[in-house]
Amino acid sequence: MVTRALFCFLYILLFCALSAKAGDVDLLISFKNRLPNPNMLSDWNHMRGVCQFRGVTCKNGHVSSLMIRGRPLKADFSSVSAYVLSLPNLETLTLHSTNLTGSISGSANCAVRLKELDISSNNLRGSVSDAASLAASCPSLQSLNLSHNSIGWPFYNSSPIHPQLKILDMSYNKIATDKDLQWLFSKIGLLQHLDLSNNYIQGNMPRLTNCTSLQQLDLSANQLFGTIPAGTFSGTLGASI
Ligand SMILES: *[C@@H]1O[C@H](CO)[C@@H](O)[C@H](O)[C@H]1NC(C)=O
Ligand SMILES: *[C@@H]1O[C@H](CO)[C@@H](O)[C@H](O)[C@H]1NC(C)=O
Ligand SMILES: *[C@@H]1O[C@H](CO)[C@@H](O)[C@H](O)[C@H]1NC(C)=O
């Protein structure tokens, strides 16, 4: 009886260990199979361990980082969100210049440990508040790089920027109105570095209230005018306007 119970217990342990590992592989293979051309990731296959997949780094046998740069995967962001962001031990994800398309709206099922997300130089669409929602759905996220995309839809939801987020780069997008800027400034949380340079922001420079953590603000190459209240850039804030 005791042996049998022990055997059952060991069996369950083994099953758990195997299925935990299978999780990472299955998620990445599912992502690959949803690419318009899965051959883009031909070395991601069941013949090798997931830690040997190109671009993957593991910690203790689990995928902790994925970095792909300059390959036209043409993935839709919904499949990045469904299969890559949910890798349970993921800490950093870089999909730079990989021709990602689609909208960043809709909450991501984000890994609890994800600290850095670089999806710069793609064709991603959405509003500044979608970017804030994305950050808010990743509980540990510290840095979000959306530079060189097409963010700038005029749509605002109520989500605040996650308080953990320190770096937000939305330079070289299509952010067009001072309303976007106002919205961002009111939600800024504990952000330290905000780059909105090289957008199309027209209008008045909004008041910077409640931005006590901000250390770097780049608004260069936009079309802002108006006066900046005295004392706005006091303290540790370094700004380019
Ligand atoms: C990927 O994007 C780059 C720059 O956005 C573009 O020049 C290139 O043609 C795209 N490649 C494919 C295969 O779509
Ligand atoms: C974001 O990515 C761009 C490349 O697309 C890079 O030039 C920039 O330095 C990155 N921003 C941060 C804050 O790392
Ligand atoms: C200032 O920020 C704090 C903390 O993020 C927040 O609780 C408070 O409501 C904000 N105040 C204003 C006026 O935005």
Side-chain angles (χ1 to χ4, degrees):
M1 198 62 182
V2 173
T3 350
R4 199 167 150 190
L6 187 66
F7 182 77
C8 274
F9 178 68
L10 286 177
Y11 180 80
I12 289 166
L13 268 189
L14 182 69
F15 180 79
C16 288
L18 283 179
S19 60
K21 291 229 166 159
D24 284 355
V25 179
D26 290 346
L27 286 168
L28 289 181
I29 296 285
S30 297
F31 174 68
K32 171 188 165 177
N33 289 338
R34 273 158 188 82
L35 298 179
N37 178 9
N39 287 332
M40 276 292 148
L41 299 170
S42 55
D43 69 329
W44 287 17
N45 57 56
H46 287 292
M47 309 292 280
R48 60 178 81 207
V50 69
C51 301
Q52 270 74 54
F53 286 11
R54 205 206 299 204
V56 165
T57 306
C58 284
K59 268 188 194 167
N60 305 318
H62 297 289
V63 177
S64 62
S65 157
L66 174 62
M67 184 189 291
I68 300 176
R69 303 175 74 92
R71 262 201 278 175
L73 302 179
K74 296 190 180 173
D76 191 87
F77 188 72
S78 60
S79 63
V80 175
S81 174
Y83 303 108
V84 184
L85 284 176
S86 59
L87 285 163
N89 295 277
L90 194 68
E91 294 172 17
T92 64
L93 175 62
T94 302
L95 294 173
H96 167 86
S97 191
T98 50
N99 296 64
L100 300 186
T101 57
S103 161
I104 59 164
S105 67
S107 67
N109 181 17
C110 205
V112 289
R113 295 184 191 168
L114 188 71
K115 284 209 263 314
E116 282 181 37
L117 177 55
D118 181 349
I119 40 178
S120 61
S121 300
N122 287 297
N123 304 311
L124 297 169
R125 289 171 287 117
S127 68
V128 293
S129 65
D130 292 331
S133 298
L134 177 60
S137 62
C138 304
S140 305
L141 198 67
Q142 297 191 352
S143 169
L144 174 58
N145 195 340
L146 277 162
S147 175
H148 289 90
N149 277 288
S150 300
I151 306 302
W153 284 350
F155 169 75
Y156 307 95
N157 59 34
S158 58
S159 89
I161 292 176
H162 194 272
Q164 302 270 13
L165 195 68
K166 295 193 171 81
I167 300 171
L168 179 58
D169 188 341
M170 294 201 290
S171 58
Y172 296 92
N173 275 280
K174 295 184 174 155
I175 303 168
T177 70
D178 52 0
K179 216 177 143 201
D180 291 285
L181 205 54
Q182 231 159 30
W183 188 92
L184 266 172
F185 283 178
S186 72
K187 305 278 177 176
I188 217 153
L190 299 176
L191 212 54
Q192 293 175 1
H193 175 117
L194 177 62
D195 191 343
L196 296 169
S197 64
N198 294 279
N199 278 278
Y200 302 88
I201 309 171
Q202 290 195 343
N204 278 293
M205 172 72 189
R207 278 183 167 274
L208 270 162
T209 48
N210 217 8
C211 301
T212 46
S213 299
L214 206 56
Q215 290 168 12
Q216 276 187 318
L217 172 66
D218 195 340
L219 294 170
S220 58
N222 282 289
Q223 288 149 48
L224 287 164
F225 52 82
T227 53
I228 296 167
T232 300
F233 298 122
S234 59
T236 53
L237 182 65
S240 308
I241 296 179

